Amino acid sequence: MQKIEIYDTTLRDGSQGAGISFSVEEKLVITKILDDLGVDFIEGGWPGSNPKDELYFKKVKELPLKNTKIAAFSSTRRKGTLPHNDFFLRQMVDSNADCYCLFGKSWDRQVLEALNVSLDENLLMIRDSIEYLKKETGRPIFFDCEHFFDGYKSNSVYAEKVIKTAHEAGAERVILCDTNGGSFPEEIRTIVGNLKILKNIKWGIHAHNDGCLAVANTLDAVFSGCKQVQGTFNGIGERCGNTDLTSVIPNLQLKKGYNCLPSDGLKNLFKISQKIWELTHSKDRENQPFVGKHAFSHKGGIHVSAIDKAPEFYEHIKPELIGNKRNILISELSGRSNILSKFKDQYPQLENKTIIKKILNLIQEKEKEGLSFEGADAGLELLLREILGFKDSFLQKDYLKISDINFGKKKFSEASLSFFFEGRKKMAVSEGVGPIDALSKALRKSLIPFYPKVTQLKLTDYQVRIIDGHDGTKAKVRVIIEHQFEGTRPFSTVGMNENIIEASWDALVDALKYFILKENQTCLHMDTGY
Ligand SMILES: [Zn+2]
């Protein structure tokens, strides 16, 4: 298997994405998990550009990394300075990184109009910056040719001179950058193909996604001879982002036989993508190829009955190869096959045609009113059990009162509630930062004596959607609440009401009912695929 080096720049180029700012601790966590995954290089930051990056390069030395080399990133020296007097080049040396990535201009117009130096001066800046770093550190240097493809289209002779200069000065890899992200795969293929006349150079590709082609351009660059792929996890990065490594890696490794990661690493791709979404403090992209929660979700009845016969009819790879999972969605569009495919192993009585018709009718009726079970699997299972005649009388709502309290400078909400649990009335009071927080805490508190593990149940997402905006503030709202129990897959429940507190109360009570149900069935301990 041909080795492709994976060079991750989530911490540097990725952090240039809007709304993303990693703390030093978060950068170190990402470094650790990407090292466990087995990526070859992690670009940690730009030494000297901010105090966080300086601290990162100090602290990362204390991490016992087993697979990954840490790279520091910077530009060639400023014009009119000597390398040893250049602040950023000196910071590069001081970072004591395992290797270095220097970028320089390769587009003649950028040299003349943006950098404002002559074409020859730019070549000199590239040459003596690389030679200086090489002499001072003795470590590998990669050279990023910024705007390479635009440069090549403008003046191919000059763009090639830039490459030759970097190579002769001692750069181990020459990285071809589609900095503006506007190139087409065909152009990448032709240009990388033309470069083969330059012998003994090891190439890399660094693409951006402005034309939604970063992954396609990266794959074509690899097929044309590039041995290093630069990109970010989940494709985060400036403007429309960088090449998404979570797509490039499985495409190359599973479909084209290249070796990017150790195979046990590939099985963790879904989990690591989710963890990185969490650390970027952004919502994950559910339809993200390969690693999205819905990348293997099936809704249409025809699709579901077909994948029951052969999953490859509607799945391009086996989801478990990258740690993802097939998911059957149930909605008003669903047919019998969706319900059966999802629940028949647990509830064989669903084979009965009258029962299944009753279930489908009820789902359609509820969805007409505005309830949706598509993102609320747990809520759906409770409904199904009700129709099948199970008596899950764990929790019955009785009374709820929420008060907003202003106590001096302190403002909080207080929930007082009562409910029936296994026939007996229970009461609880709890404070929270807001009404839903107070309600959720009061419910759990009252269950702790019976189910101590309820303290480990975490509320992980809370979504509200207005069903019919024309009714203004009297409109019905649908609340979907996601919970997660100790490293298992999250589950969701749904509530709907004109009153947001009532809708949340319904969804929270259902979540606890589901938790108790699975606790009793000990299923929560079995489903540890997440
Ligand atoms: Zn970039």
Side-chain angles (χ1 to χ4, degrees), residues 13 206 208 242:
D13 228 357
H206 176 117
H208 278 261
N242 288 54

Side-chain angles (χ1 to χ4, degrees), residues 288-300:
Q288 190 177 352
F290 293 95
V291 292
K293 280 184 194 142
H294 288 319
F296 299 93
S297 288
H298 305 279
K299 186 164 166 181

Side-chain angles (χ1 to χ4, degrees), residues 394-461:
F394 309 112
L395 263 174
Q396 299 294 337
K397 282 168 33 182
D398 181 33
Y399 164 84
L400 167 70
K401 185 179 170 207
I402 302 270
S403 322
D404 282 326
I405 298 176
N406 272 297
F407 191 72
K409 281 187 181 167
K410 201 179 162 199
K411 286 182 186 166
F412 57 95
S413 297
E414 187 182 88
S416 324
L417 54 89
S418 76
F419 58 87
F420 291 94
F421 178 67
E422 290 173 351
R424 278 184 291 172
K425 192 165 178 170
K426 302 281 164 204
M427 297 176 82
V429 179
S430 201
E431 288 175 11
V433 289
I436 311 299
D437 187 40
L439 178 55
S440 166
K441 283 179 178 156
L443 270 168
R444 281 152 198 255
K445 197 167 135 187
S446 55
L447 285 176
I448 293 172
F450 312 96
Y451 292 95
K453 282 190 179 164
V454 76
T455 51
Q456 291 160 29
L457 185 68
K458 284 196 188 121
L459 193 156
T460 46
D461 198 16

Side-chain angles (χ1 to χ4, degrees), residues 322-375:
I322 49 158
N324 207 340
K325 194 174 153 183
R326 180 171 310 129
N327 191 16
I328 307 297
L329 301 177
I330 309 287
S331 77
E332 58 196 342
L333 297 178
S334 309
R336 185 175 163 267
S337 46
N338 291 38
I339 307 257
L340 282 178
S341 172
K342 198 174 179 78
F343 293 110
K344 72 171 180 236
D345 291 344
Q346 264 177 288
Y347 304 106
Q349 51 280 59
L350 289 173
E351 301 280 5
N352 180 316
K353 282 187 182 157
T354 324
I355 291 179
I356 207 128
K357 191 151 189 356
K358 200 170 158 193
I359 290 168
L360 285 169
N361 287 345
L362 192 66
I363 290 171
Q364 281 178 2
E365 227 169 81
K366 298 242 178 206
E367 295 216 344
K368 212 163 101 192
E369 288 166 22
L371 213 57
S372 168
F373 291 102
E374 199 180 303

Side-chain angles (χ1 to χ4, degrees), residues 9 12-14 16 43 73 144 146 177-180 206-208 230 232 237-239 241-242:
T9 179
R12 203 274 307 166
D13 228 357
Q16 288 177 216
E43 192 171 79
F73 175 87
D144 267 11
E146 196 194 17
C177 302
D178 187 30
T179 308
N180 288 358
H206 176 117
H208 278 261
Q230 298 198 346
T232 62
E238 193 132 352
R239 305 186 308 277
N242 288 54

Side-chain angles (χ1 to χ4, degrees), residues 96-259:
N96 196 18
D98 302 318
C99 56
Y100 300 89
C101 187
L102 268 189
F103 79 93
K105 304 264 180 221
S106 56
W107 182 0
D108 57 352
R109 277 194 60 202
Q110 282 260 341
V111 175
L112 298 169
E113 296 169 39
L115 205 55
N116 218 3
V117 298
S118 71
L119 296 180
D120 283 344
E121 169 72 1
N122 180 51
L123 295 178
L124 195 61
M125 284 159 65
I126 294 169
R127 179 182 299 279
D128 59 18
S129 300
I130 294 174
E131 283 175 350
Y132 166 77
L133 259 189
K134 193 84 205 167
K135 186 164 96 13
E136 290 294 313
T137 67
R139 294 180 186 165
I141 317 282
F142 305 150
F143 182 72
D144 267 11
C145 300
E146 196 194 17
H147 291 110
F148 176 76
F149 294 96
D150 295 307
Y152 190 91
K153 283 179 251 175
S154 162
N155 182 344
S156 61
V157 175
Y158 186 70
E160 283 184 10
K161 267 190 194 169
V162 167
I163 292 173
K164 279 189 214 152
T165 305
H167 176 63
E168 284 163 14
E172 265 80 2
R173 307 272 184 279
V174 175
I175 314 300
L176 309 171
C177 302
D178 187 30
T179 308
N180 288 358
S183 299
F184 285 96
E186 186 191 277
E187 294 170 317
I188 302 279
R189 220 162 34 230
T190 308
I191 295 173
V192 179
N194 290 348
L195 296 176
K196 283 190 178 147
I197 50 162
L198 305 173
K199 301 285 180 206
N200 302 322
I201 298 180
K202 289 189 175 139
W203 308 101
I205 179 76
H206 176 117
H208 278 261
N209 201 33
D210 301 67
C212 204
L213 290 167
V215 169
N217 286 341
T218 299
L219 293 176
D220 261 357
V222 170
F223 304 150
S224 308
C226 288
K227 298 279 181 273
Q228 183 181 106
V229 166
Q230 298 198 346
T232 62
F233 265 76
N234 300 329
I236 59 169
E238 193 132 352
R239 305 186 308 277
C240 314
N242 288 54
T243 298
D244 189 346
L245 292 175
T246 67
S247 282
V248 168
I249 293 169
N251 267 316
L252 287 177
Q253 191 147 333
L254 294 174
K255 297 184 175 180
K256 290 291 181 181
Y258 289 91
N259 172 21

